[in-house]
Amino acid sequence: MASIVSCFSKFCLTLFLLVLFHGSTNAKLSTNFYSKSCPNLLPIVKFIVHSAIMKEARMGASLLRLFFHDCFVNGCDGSVLLDDTSSFIGEKNAAPNRNSARGFNVVDDIKSTVEIVCPGVFSCADILALSARDSVTILGGPYWDVKLGRRDARTASQAAANNNIPSPSSNLNQLISRFSAHGLSPRDLVALSGGHTIGQAWCTTFRARIYNESNIDSSFARTRQRNCPRATGSGDNNLAPLDIHTPTYFDNSYFKNLIDRRGLLHSDQQLFTGGGPTNSIVRGYINNPRSFRSDFAAAMIKMGDISPLTGTKGEIRKNCRRVN
């Protein structure tokens, strides 16, 4: 009888561990993930993001870009936030991020504040997701319910960042291919590119376009040339707005710029080329700004689902810049 009880107990323990393992490694993101563990989380994040944007409107675009650059490199896992260590070279010094990725201090402020209220609960990866949404809404863009529950990576890859983040010099086929590799459609590509309705870019990212390309409005090119000399090394870090009309307000004027051949980056203008497969999407967003807002929100949710770490994978970092 004792042996039967012992055997049954072992069976129950094994079954429990299997269920626990299955549930923890297959955990899903949810919009109410922190509702019990940290109910004051959302207003804290929004307050800090709002304060940062009031100090510098450009910060909203920077936080949105951080989330994009995080998700496109091994998934939405907060790896872009990690500083280099003796064991790995991280993403901060990859070509798409070096001296241009911004907003790390805002993430630090959010993390340190939330750690006081809810220690060991809120992941850095989720900070990026929430701060991107709040940045967009604060600057006039759409609201969406952010799915949460991501955990943080314990490592990062500079090589992956160099290979996976689309370049400003990408052509349309390259953009479609790069987004498709992450499960994002051409419509997602155009909608997410509409995030360039806010923010600024360095001269180095658009110099070749304003001096060498023909698919560009001549007066627009001359305007940009005033602050971006032709010679490499001269004015490289000078900034220009990605949207010439409303650079600190989230609207659909970015797409109007493309039709007028006033896309700042080569990759921007590629979305509206002669006979290109994304032309009709661009026109649709001009004629129906509501559809752009809706598609942008849906694409952000979709992007946020790229390979998150959940359950027992990864960790909840105490400091977003380093592993525990």
Side-chain angles (χ1 to χ4, degrees), residues 59-281:
M59 185 54 68
S62 298
L63 291 170
L64 174 60
R65 184 172 181 255
L66 264 188
F67 185 50
F68 175 82
H69 282 211
D70 184 45
C71 290
F72 263 58
V73 183
N74 299 325
C76 310
D77 59 3
S79 57
V80 71
L81 303 172
L82 288 171
D83 290 336
D84 293 351
T85 71
S86 58
S87 60
F88 68 82
I89 299 176
E91 299 164 27
K92 285 184 176 179
N93 285 309
N97 296 325
R98 189 183 307 118
N99 298 323
S100 68
R102 307 171 71 250
F104 299 111
N105 58 321
V106 180
V107 174
D108 291 340
D109 289 345
I110 294 171
K111 183 61 175 174
S112 60
T113 302
V114 176
E115 279 296 304
I116 296 172
V117 180
C118 311
V121 171
F122 187 29
S123 71
C124 301
D126 279 347
I127 289 178
L128 292 177
L130 273 178
S131 60
R133 190 275 308 277
D134 288 344
S135 293
V136 169
T137 57
I138 289 167
L139 293 174
Y143 177 93
W144 63 94
D145 290 322
V146 178
K147 290 197 282 186
L148 301 166
R150 299 168 190 82
R151 290 169 66 85
D152 300 320
R154 293 189 176 100
T155 188
S157 171
Q158 185 176 110
N162 283 326
N163 293 329
N164 292 322
I165 297 173
S167 163
S169 63
S170 299
N171 63 37
L172 183 58
N173 287 336
Q174 290 170 330
L175 291 170
I176 290 174
S177 175
R178 191 62 55 85
F179 275 68
S180 177
H182 296 290
L184 298 169
S185 68
R187 180 168 290 275
D188 296 324
L189 159 64
V190 179
L192 290 171
S193 297
H196 282 180
T197 187
I198 55 176
Q200 302 186 59
W202 279 356
C203 167
T204 52
T205 63
F206 60 85
R207 175 181 278 129
R209 170 157 168 73
I210 62 174
Y211 285 104
N212 302 328
E213 295 187 14
S214 58
N215 186 24
I216 187 170
D217 176 76
S218 57
S219 64
F220 174 71
R222 287 194 298 271
T223 298
R224 295 280 69 92
Q225 288 170 7
R226 294 188 194 116
N227 197 42
C228 183
R230 183 189 292 270
T232 300
S234 179
D236 286 358
N237 295 339
N238 290 350
L239 296 168
L242 289 159
D243 175 0
I244 194 172
H245 296 297
T246 54
T248 59
Y249 187 75
F250 197 100
D251 58 17
N252 70 333
S253 64
Y254 164 83
F255 300 106
K256 298 174 184 177
N257 294 334
L258 301 186
I259 291 212
D260 293 335
R261 297 184 302 142
R262 292 185 171 193
L264 182 64
L265 306 180
H266 176 81
S267 56
D268 287 331
Q269 194 60 52
Q270 282 289 293
L271 300 179
F272 192 80
T273 58
T278 54
N279 283 14
S280 61
I281 303 173

